[in-house]
Amino acid sequence: MAGGRRHTLRDIAATLNLSVNTVSRALSGKDGMGEQTRALVLAEAERVGYVPNSMARSLVTGSAMTFGLVITNPSNPFYAQLISSIELRARTYDYSLLLTVTEESAENETRAAESLLRSSVSGAMVVPVQASADPWRRLSTVGVPTVLLNRDLPDLGYRFVGTDNELGGYRATAHAIARGARSIVVLEEDLPITTIADRIAGFRRAMAEAGLATAHGSVMRVPTRRIEQAAQPWQPQQAYEMARRLLRRARLPDAVVVGNDYFALGLYRALEEHGLRAPDDMMVIGFGDHPFSAFLSPPLTTVRLPAEEIGTIAVDLLLEEIAGVRSARPLKQLIAPALVERDSTRRIPGTSVVPPGHRTSVE
């Protein structure tokens, strides 16, 4: 991470040969201050990227023993697991968490970055909206160690840890192919983020390697989390509507890979209304392995995401950044997800087995 330590009132005072009290009064707009002195202080504060420190402990120690954690949508079970993992690991080192939610909003993200700066956190872990890198670039310039989670911003060069979503999309698709599917549709949400793009890329790679065509309409985008201003839980209703459109096609696909397990709820309902059922009429593979997935009828084959591992690694990376330590860990880490096989993709007799190296757990 570029940038040095956070600048303090004492740094500005020492540079200008003024007292800390004078600098503080100038920055707070107090009266009884010469305009020339005030201008000098403001100019120096701007130059070093000074951010007011609102925490009394930080005024003394320069460290709040608090990590900022910014996520996009707390209704996503993956992020619930991630928060729990990070909190548990951070507590081991006597750090607490300051949680902020952006709701996939660029405006909220800018406010979240400013809030972390004012709160004087020791470091930040961020799931970016990916609309712009600018909100998080400033953290580096003022010396706040930052680690990105789940979605990267390559231009910043920050340390990153997340799921290998391309591999997840590949494994889900390859699993369906291994069980006899030759036509496959992906039902994905419509947000312009790398996690989704990577899963679709994995789908296309698996199809290409099997010599199968990805026809027009093989990727259907579900309009999600744009119904209201705030980010909503994934919408089974919207996936249900898309599935009804899919089931009106003259030829149905052999399998559908859905971008999250909530979409499978909508797809299951649409199948039932048409007198169809997985896996006999159409195999279904989910993404996320949410708690309800094993209790659907049939139980859902899905891709399990490594939330706990990502959270633990993220804290360790941030502690290394704070200490200025460069370990043997790579700058960017992608953690492989695992396919959990259940009845929604029960193998068709006479088809091939799972390809070598295709990691699967059976429940």
Side-chain angles (χ1 to χ4, degrees), residues 232-289:
Q232 300 296 303
W234 281 307
Q235 303 290 329
Q237 176 66 32
Q238 299 301 312
Y240 163 72
E241 297 293 345
M242 296 294 288
R244 290 181 66 190
R245 288 171 51 187
L246 172 64
L247 296 179
R248 287 197 292 267
R249 293 183 181 180
R251 180 177 178 181
L252 299 183
D254 298 324
V256 175
V257 177
V258 297
N260 62 76
D261 293 350
Y262 284 96
F263 287 177
L265 296 176
L267 177 56
Y268 271 28
R269 177 180 173 183
L271 286 170
E272 182 179 5
E273 288 180 354
H274 282 73
L276 304 174
R277 180 176 170 81
D280 301 326
D281 301 295
M282 179 186 297
M283 289 182 281
V284 180
I285 303 176
F287 221 92
D289 193 26

Side-chain angles (χ1 to χ4, degrees), residues 22-34:
T22 298
V23 171
S24 177
R25 289 173 62 82
L27 291 173
S28 61
K30 298 281 182 68
D31 294 333
M33 174 72 55

Side-chain angles (χ1 to χ4, degrees), residues 167-219:
L167 179 60
Y170 175 86
R171 283 181 167 168
T173 307
H175 175 76
I177 293 170
R179 274 140 186 78
R182 293 299 174 262
S183 59
I184 302 174
V185 166
V186 172
L187 204 62
E188 262 292 3
E189 58 183 325
D190 64 346
L191 289 177
I193 54 177
T194 54
T195 49
I196 295 172
D198 290 346
R199 287 198 292 265
I200 293 173
F203 157 71
R204 296 191 187 282
R205 177 165 70 95
M207 294 291 283
E209 288 184 3
L212 300 174
T214 52
H216 176 72
S218 60
V219 176

Side-chain angles (χ1 to χ4, degrees), residues 76-135:
N76 182 340
F78 170 82
Y79 288 128
Q81 294 175 355
L82 185 69
I83 293 168
S84 178
S85 174
I86 288 174
E87 196 280 331
L88 181 62
R89 188 67 167 177
R91 194 192 318 152
T92 303
Y93 296 96
D94 296 324
Y95 280 86
S96 59
L97 289 184
L98 176 63
L99 176 64
T100 304
V101 177
T102 64
E103 307 281 9
E104 297 288 1
S105 162
E107 183 179 350
N108 289 345
E109 184 175 56
T110 298
R111 283 198 290 263
E114 291 298 324
S115 176
L116 292 185
L117 289 167
R118 289 193 302 271
S119 300
S120 190
V121 293
S122 303
M125 288 167 279
V126 176
V127 180
V129 174
Q130 291 190 314
S132 170
D134 291 342

